[in-house]
Amino acid sequence: MLLDSSTLVVAVESTRMPWAGAIGLALLFIVAGGLVAGLSRKLASGSVGRNAMMGLRLPSTLRSKEAWHAGQKAFAPFGLAAGLGCAALGAGLLLRPNEGVAVVLASLASIWLVVLPGLGAFLRDLAAKEISD
């Protein structure tokens, strides 16, 4: 039996994300992003000194007050972008996209929230080392 490509039909069912899942995941990413963005702004303002709770604590940033503040300012744009990007991607889930798009949005929000702060931490470490060297 020969099949002609014009007669072959593939049905793909696309289901929208359920409301409960959309709201739950959206809130998770919006809150996480808001916390990261808020913390980044607070650290960049210089109002948070060296401590055991907030900031990405690295040996280079803990050497001196100047190194701490230089490192925080170098990190701030990355933390702010990570938080706002995560929140925006999470808010996209409130549109109840189909499940494939929802997986992509949630994955991107998770990756965005990890990769940008990681890059920022690397650059912050470099900035702090310049102060302490």
Side-chain angles (χ1 to χ4, degrees):
M1 177 173 164
L2 292 175
L3 289 178
D4 183 1
S5 63
S6 63
T7 59
L8 185 60
V9 176
V10 177
V12 177
E13 184 178 328
S14 177
T15 58
R16 292 174 63 96
M17 188 173 191
W19 273 112
I23 291 171
L25 271 179
L27 284 176
L28 172 74
F29 289 121
I30 291 169
V31 169
L35 288 173
V36 169
L39 177 60
S40 297
R41 287 190 58 186
K42 189 165 183 75
L43 289 169
S45 73
S47 63
V48 177
R50 290 179 290 169
N51 65 78
M53 303 263 319
M54 289 200 276
L56 296 174
R57 300 168 32 86
L58 302 169
S60 59
T61 62
L62 295 173
R63 287 190 184 130
S64 69
K65 182 179 177 181
E66 294 80 19
W68 174 264
H69 289 298
Q72 303 310 314
K73 287 185 181 184
F75 172 75
F78 294 93
L80 189 59
L84 295 177
C86 179
L89 289 165
L93 293 169
L94 292 174
L95 300 174
R96 289 185 58 226
N98 71 38
E99 291 174 353
V101 173
V103 168
V104 169
L105 285 174
S107 298
L108 286 174
S110 300
I111 292 168
W112 193 258
L113 199 57
V114 171
V115 171
L116 277 180
L119 181 60
F122 172 73
L123 293 176
R124 175 168 73 169
D125 188 45
L126 294 179
K129 284 179 180 176
E130 287 178 10
I131 297 294
S132 60
D133 287 342

